[in-house]
mmCIF file of all heavy atoms in Angstrom:
data_model
loop_
_atom_site.group_PDB
_atom_site.id
_atom_site.type_symbol
_atom_site.label_atom_id
_atom_site.label_comp_id
_atom_site.label_asym_id
_atom_site.label_seq_id
_atom_site.Cartn_x
_atom_site.Cartn_y
_atom_site.Cartn_z
ATOM 1 N N ILE A 18 188.388 -35.058 104.452
ATOM 2 C CA ILE A 18 188.248 -36.408 104.906
ATOM 3 C C ILE A 18 187.856 -37.454 103.797
ATOM 4 O O ILE A 18 187.506 -38.585 104.104
ATOM 5 C CB ILE A 18 187.156 -36.450 106.075
ATOM 6 C CG1 ILE A 18 185.731 -36.129 105.645
ATOM 7 C CG2 ILE A 18 187.615 -35.595 107.253
ATOM 8 C CD1 ILE A 18 184.660 -36.411 106.637
ATOM 9 N N GLY A 19 187.677 -36.962 102.580
ATOM 10 C CA GLY A 19 187.383 -37.770 101.494
ATOM 11 C C GLY A 19 186.042 -38.084 101.204
ATOM 12 O O GLY A 19 185.646 -39.070 100.552
ATOM 13 N N ASN A 20 185.121 -37.319 101.662
ATOM 14 C CA ASN A 20 183.666 -37.484 101.470
ATOM 15 C C ASN A 20 182.922 -36.152 101.224
ATOM 16 O O ASN A 20 182.298 -35.620 102.014
ATOM 17 C CB ASN A 20 183.108 -38.158 102.624
ATOM 18 C CG ASN A 20 181.574 -38.683 102.436
ATOM 19 O OD1 ASN A 20 181.089 -38.274 101.445
ATOM 20 N ND2 ASN A 20 181.204 -39.475 103.350
ATOM 21 N N GLU A 21 183.179 -35.637 100.005
ATOM 22 C CA GLU A 21 182.837 -34.329 99.622
ATOM 23 C C GLU A 21 181.284 -33.990 99.720
ATOM 24 O O GLU A 21 180.913 -32.881 99.879
ATOM 25 C CB GLU A 21 183.282 -33.908 98.257
ATOM 26 C CG GLU A 21 182.631 -34.715 97.117
ATOM 27 C CD GLU A 21 183.371 -34.381 95.834
ATOM 28 O OE1 GLU A 21 184.582 -34.315 95.704
ATOM 29 O OE2 GLU A 21 182.602 -33.856 94.819
ATOM 30 N N LYS A 22 180.445 -35.030 99.823
ATOM 31 C CA LYS A 22 179.030 -34.845 99.885
ATOM 32 C C LYS A 22 178.567 -34.974 101.410
ATOM 33 O O LYS A 22 177.399 -34.780 101.714
ATOM 34 C CB LYS A 22 178.211 -35.880 99.182
ATOM 35 C CG LYS A 22 178.532 -35.683 97.697
ATOM 36 C CD LYS A 22 177.652 -36.684 96.893
ATOM 37 C CE LYS A 22 178.136 -36.646 95.483
ATOM 38 N NZ LYS A 22 177.165 -36.299 94.486
ATOM 39 N N ALA A 23 179.423 -34.906 102.399
ATOM 40 C CA ALA A 23 179.179 -35.049 103.742
ATOM 41 C C ALA A 23 179.164 -33.761 104.529
ATOM 42 O O ALA A 23 179.444 -33.865 105.813
ATOM 43 C CB ALA A 23 180.057 -36.078 104.335
ATOM 44 N N SER A 24 178.952 -32.660 103.995
ATOM 45 C CA SER A 24 179.082 -31.287 104.683
ATOM 46 C C SER A 24 178.208 -31.320 105.860
ATOM 47 O O SER A 24 178.642 -30.840 106.850
ATOM 48 C CB SER A 24 178.767 -30.264 103.669
ATOM 49 O OG SER A 24 179.640 -30.261 102.556
ATOM 50 N N ARG A 25 176.991 -31.737 105.674
ATOM 51 C CA ARG A 25 176.049 -31.739 106.849
ATOM 52 C C ARG A 25 176.523 -32.628 108.011
ATOM 53 O O ARG A 25 176.452 -32.304 109.096
ATOM 54 C CB ARG A 25 174.685 -32.071 106.447
ATOM 55 C CG ARG A 25 173.854 -30.966 105.896
ATOM 56 C CD ARG A 25 172.522 -31.304 105.638
ATOM 57 N NE ARG A 25 172.028 -30.550 104.638
ATOM 58 C CZ ARG A 25 170.709 -30.114 104.706
ATOM 59 N NH1 ARG A 25 169.850 -30.475 105.567
ATOM 60 N NH2 ARG A 25 170.289 -29.202 103.823
ATOM 61 N N ALA A 26 176.943 -33.892 107.557
ATOM 62 C CA ALA A 26 177.464 -34.770 108.651
ATOM 63 C C ALA A 26 178.634 -34.268 109.275
ATOM 64 O O ALA A 26 178.921 -34.336 110.526
ATOM 65 C CB ALA A 26 177.730 -36.195 107.942
ATOM 66 N N VAL A 27 179.471 -33.455 108.559
ATOM 67 C CA VAL A 27 180.724 -32.830 109.140
ATOM 68 C C VAL A 27 180.270 -31.746 110.116
ATOM 69 O O VAL A 27 180.766 -31.698 111.150
ATOM 70 C CB VAL A 27 181.670 -32.234 107.978
ATOM 71 C CG1 VAL A 27 182.541 -31.308 108.574
ATOM 72 C CG2 VAL A 27 182.293 -33.376 107.281
ATOM 73 N N GLY A 28 179.198 -31.063 109.795
ATOM 74 C CA GLY A 28 178.654 -30.118 110.615
ATOM 75 C C GLY A 28 178.218 -30.673 111.964
ATOM 76 O O GLY A 28 178.360 -30.140 112.971
ATOM 77 N N MET A 29 177.478 -31.756 111.800
ATOM 78 C CA MET A 29 176.981 -32.399 113.022
ATOM 79 C C MET A 29 178.176 -33.034 113.849
ATOM 80 O O MET A 29 178.073 -32.897 115.149
ATOM 81 C CB MET A 29 176.027 -33.611 112.666
ATOM 82 C CG MET A 29 174.704 -33.114 111.962
ATOM 83 S SD MET A 29 173.767 -31.962 112.983
ATOM 84 C CE MET A 29 173.389 -32.952 114.309
ATOM 85 N N ALA A 30 179.058 -33.566 113.310
ATOM 86 C CA ALA A 30 180.296 -33.925 114.010
ATOM 87 C C ALA A 30 180.922 -32.811 114.639
ATOM 88 O O ALA A 30 181.474 -32.930 115.882
ATOM 89 C CB ALA A 30 181.306 -34.764 113.121
ATOM 90 N N ASN A 31 181.070 -31.735 113.979
ATOM 91 C CA ASN A 31 181.678 -30.494 114.636
ATOM 92 C C ASN A 31 180.980 -30.036 115.811
ATOM 93 O O ASN A 31 181.605 -29.689 116.844
ATOM 94 C CB ASN A 31 181.660 -29.496 113.440
ATOM 95 C CG ASN A 31 182.716 -28.406 113.727
ATOM 96 O OD1 ASN A 31 183.900 -28.613 114.112
ATOM 97 N ND2 ASN A 31 182.262 -27.120 113.509
ATOM 98 N N ASN A 32 179.665 -30.084 115.661
ATOM 99 C CA ASN A 32 178.793 -29.625 116.850
ATOM 100 C C ASN A 32 178.937 -30.632 118.046
ATOM 101 O O ASN A 32 178.720 -30.177 119.169
ATOM 102 C CB ASN A 32 177.307 -29.788 116.364
ATOM 103 C CG ASN A 32 176.220 -29.418 117.466
ATOM 104 O OD1 ASN A 32 175.828 -30.390 118.236
ATOM 105 N ND2 ASN A 32 176.011 -28.138 117.473
ATOM 106 N N LYS A 33 179.377 -31.904 117.850
ATOM 107 C CA LYS A 33 179.515 -32.774 118.886
ATOM 108 C C LYS A 33 180.915 -32.837 119.550
ATOM 109 O O LYS A 33 181.219 -33.577 120.429
ATOM 110 C CB LYS A 33 179.227 -34.176 118.472
ATOM 111 C CG LYS A 33 177.725 -34.390 117.951
ATOM 112 C CD LYS A 33 176.705 -34.230 119.158
ATOM 113 C CE LYS A 33 175.338 -34.437 118.570
ATOM 114 N NZ LYS A 33 174.333 -34.064 119.616
ATOM 115 N N ASN A 34 181.789 -31.964 119.033
ATOM 116 C CA ASN A 34 183.201 -31.863 119.506
ATOM 117 C C ASN A 34 183.215 -31.720 120.956
ATOM 118 O O ASN A 34 182.782 -30.725 121.555
ATOM 119 C CB ASN A 34 183.901 -30.741 118.720
ATOM 120 C CG ASN A 34 185.380 -30.485 119.296
ATOM 121 O OD1 ASN A 34 185.852 -31.463 120.006
ATOM 122 N ND2 ASN A 34 185.783 -29.427 118.955
ATOM 123 N N PRO A 35 183.714 -32.713 121.807
ATOM 124 C CA PRO A 35 183.795 -32.475 123.236
ATOM 125 C C PRO A 35 184.875 -31.631 123.817
ATOM 126 O O PRO A 35 184.994 -31.410 124.943
ATOM 127 C CB PRO A 35 183.820 -33.878 123.672
ATOM 128 C CG PRO A 35 184.568 -34.622 122.639
ATOM 129 C CD PRO A 35 184.244 -34.016 121.333
ATOM 130 N N LEU A 36 185.870 -31.270 122.921
ATOM 131 C CA LEU A 36 187.067 -30.555 123.332
ATOM 132 C C LEU A 36 187.260 -29.180 122.558
ATOM 133 O O LEU A 36 188.179 -28.933 121.937
ATOM 134 C CB LEU A 36 188.266 -31.426 123.127
ATOM 135 C CG LEU A 36 188.308 -32.617 124.080
ATOM 136 C CD1 LEU A 36 189.387 -33.593 123.582
ATOM 137 C CD2 LEU A 36 188.582 -32.146 125.585
ATOM 138 N N MET A 37 186.110 -28.369 122.750
ATOM 139 C CA MET A 37 186.221 -27.068 122.120
ATOM 140 C C MET A 37 187.608 -26.388 122.419
ATOM 141 O O MET A 37 188.240 -26.523 123.594
ATOM 142 C CB MET A 37 185.070 -26.224 122.592
ATOM 143 C CG MET A 37 185.091 -25.727 124.076
ATOM 144 S SD MET A 37 183.995 -24.422 124.325
ATOM 145 C CE MET A 37 182.712 -25.390 125.048
ATOM 146 N N ILE A 38 187.924 -25.507 121.480
ATOM 147 C CA ILE A 38 189.170 -24.731 121.468
ATOM 148 C C ILE A 38 190.244 -25.629 121.162
ATOM 149 O O ILE A 38 191.090 -25.487 120.307
ATOM 150 C CB ILE A 38 189.341 -23.865 122.789
ATOM 151 C CG1 ILE A 38 188.087 -22.895 122.947
ATOM 152 C CG2 ILE A 38 190.668 -23.007 122.646
ATOM 153 C CD1 ILE A 38 188.011 -22.180 124.208
ATOM 154 N N VAL A 39 190.534 -26.665 122.168
ATOM 155 C CA VAL A 39 191.745 -27.541 121.896
ATOM 156 C C VAL A 39 191.627 -28.318 120.551
ATOM 157 O O VAL A 39 192.609 -28.317 119.784
ATOM 158 C CB VAL A 39 191.874 -28.484 123.025
ATOM 159 C CG1 VAL A 39 192.931 -29.611 122.781
ATOM 160 C CG2 VAL A 39 192.169 -27.804 124.261
ATOM 161 N N ILE A 40 190.428 -28.759 120.228
ATOM 162 C CA ILE A 40 190.034 -29.288 118.998
ATOM 163 C C ILE A 40 189.403 -28.153 118.313
ATOM 164 O O ILE A 40 188.043 -27.827 118.690
ATOM 165 C CB ILE A 40 189.229 -30.609 118.924
ATOM 166 C CG1 ILE A 40 190.028 -31.682 119.529
ATOM 167 C CG2 ILE A 40 188.836 -30.936 117.461
ATOM 168 C CD1 ILE A 40 189.352 -32.984 119.713
ATOM 169 N N PRO A 41 189.886 -27.386 117.353
ATOM 170 C CA PRO A 41 189.464 -26.051 117.157
ATOM 171 C C PRO A 41 188.224 -25.959 116.072
ATOM 172 O O PRO A 41 188.254 -25.465 114.978
ATOM 173 C CB PRO A 41 190.627 -25.382 116.382
ATOM 174 C CG PRO A 41 191.320 -26.537 115.724
ATOM 175 C CD PRO A 41 191.179 -27.652 116.738
ATOM 176 N N CYS A 42 187.083 -26.329 116.607
ATOM 177 C CA CYS A 42 185.810 -26.476 115.868
ATOM 178 C C CYS A 42 185.335 -24.924 115.589
ATOM 179 O O CYS A 42 184.693 -24.772 114.531
ATOM 180 C CB CYS A 42 184.695 -27.094 116.618
ATOM 181 S SG CYS A 42 184.379 -26.635 118.205
ATOM 182 N N HIS A 43 185.818 -23.933 116.300
ATOM 183 C CA HIS A 43 185.619 -22.509 116.068
ATOM 184 C C HIS A 43 186.140 -22.059 114.730
ATOM 185 O O HIS A 43 185.867 -21.071 114.180
ATOM 186 C CB HIS A 43 185.983 -21.625 117.168
ATOM 187 C CG HIS A 43 187.521 -21.705 117.409
ATOM 188 N ND1 HIS A 43 188.188 -22.750 118.131
ATOM 189 C CD2 HIS A 43 188.536 -20.858 116.979
ATOM 190 C CE1 HIS A 43 189.432 -22.451 118.091
ATOM 191 N NE2 HIS A 43 189.650 -21.499 117.465
ATOM 192 N N ARG A 44 187.095 -22.900 114.183
ATOM 193 C CA ARG A 44 187.718 -22.482 112.838
ATOM 194 C C ARG A 44 186.914 -22.930 111.704
ATOM 195 O O ARG A 44 187.361 -22.789 110.511
ATOM 196 C CB ARG A 44 189.098 -23.008 112.833
ATOM 197 C CG ARG A 44 190.130 -22.454 113.876
ATOM 198 C CD ARG A 44 191.439 -23.096 113.694
ATOM 199 N NE ARG A 44 192.231 -22.598 114.918
ATOM 200 C CZ ARG A 44 193.251 -23.251 115.465
ATOM 201 N NH1 ARG A 44 193.670 -24.438 114.916
ATOM 202 N NH2 ARG A 44 193.868 -22.755 116.538
ATOM 203 N N VAL A 45 185.796 -23.509 111.881
ATOM 204 C CA VAL A 45 184.924 -23.871 110.699
ATOM 205 C C VAL A 45 183.778 -22.872 110.566
ATOM 206 O O VAL A 45 183.139 -22.522 111.347
ATOM 207 C CB VAL A 45 184.318 -25.207 111.043
ATOM 208 C CG1 VAL A 45 183.490 -25.782 109.775
ATOM 209 C CG2 VAL A 45 185.461 -26.291 111.368
ATOM 210 N N ILE A 46 183.638 -22.562 109.216
ATOM 211 C CA ILE A 46 182.718 -21.419 108.861
ATOM 212 C C ILE A 46 181.759 -22.023 107.799
ATOM 213 O O ILE A 46 182.199 -22.924 107.048
ATOM 214 C CB ILE A 46 183.491 -20.093 108.519
ATOM 215 C CG1 ILE A 46 184.386 -20.380 107.360
ATOM 216 C CG2 ILE A 46 184.218 -19.556 109.729
ATOM 217 C CD1 ILE A 46 185.076 -19.154 106.735
ATOM 218 N N GLY A 47 180.808 -21.132 107.387
ATOM 219 C CA GLY A 47 180.008 -21.666 106.272
ATOM 220 C C GLY A 47 180.642 -21.254 104.977
ATOM 221 O O GLY A 47 181.686 -20.527 104.943
ATOM 222 N N ALA A 48 180.181 -22.028 103.859
ATOM 223 C CA ALA A 48 180.879 -21.880 102.618
ATOM 224 C C ALA A 48 180.816 -20.453 102.066
ATOM 225 O O ALA A 48 181.798 -20.018 101.356
ATOM 226 C CB ALA A 48 180.142 -22.715 101.527
ATOM 227 N N ASN A 49 179.888 -19.659 102.562
ATOM 228 C CA ASN A 49 179.854 -18.207 102.072
ATOM 229 C C ASN A 49 180.631 -17.231 102.903
ATOM 230 O O ASN A 49 180.643 -16.110 102.817
ATOM 231 C CB ASN A 49 178.356 -17.817 102.101
ATOM 232 C CG ASN A 49 177.727 -17.857 103.430
ATOM 233 O OD1 ASN A 49 178.341 -18.206 104.401
ATOM 234 N ND2 ASN A 49 176.392 -17.601 103.457
ATOM 235 N N GLY A 50 181.398 -17.866 103.952
ATOM 236 C CA GLY A 50 182.264 -17.120 104.913
ATOM 237 C C GLY A 50 181.651 -16.658 106.022
ATOM 238 O O GLY A 50 182.255 -16.114 106.953
ATOM 239 N N ASN A 51 180.308 -16.971 106.318
ATOM 240 C CA ASN A 51 179.653 -16.527 107.506
ATOM 241 C C ASN A 51 179.964 -17.448 108.570
ATOM 242 O O ASN A 51 180.302 -18.635 108.443
ATOM 243 C CB ASN A 51 177.989 -16.645 107.236
ATOM 244 C CG ASN A 51 177.530 -15.419 106.328
ATOM 245 O OD1 ASN A 51 178.222 -14.479 106.138
ATOM 246 N ND2 ASN A 51 176.467 -15.574 105.674
#
């Protein structure tokens, strides 16, 4: 999204996704693969 320092904000937005599965927030993992 062009804001490489926004990892935490991306995580919070991911957490607020109202359309789970259809908007695939489950495909986001930690940087270490966890």
Side-chain angles (χ1 to χ4, degrees):
I18 65 167
N20 192 346
E21 65 184 55
K22 296 186 187 242
S24 295
R25 279 187 197 216
V27 164
M29 292 305 295
N31 200 47
N32 178 272
K33 300 294 183 193
N34 172 17
L36 290 168
M37 71 163 98
I38 303 168
V39 173
I40 297 178
C42 54
H43 61 278
R44 295 181 189 153
V45 182
I46 59 174
N49 60 3
N51 288 340

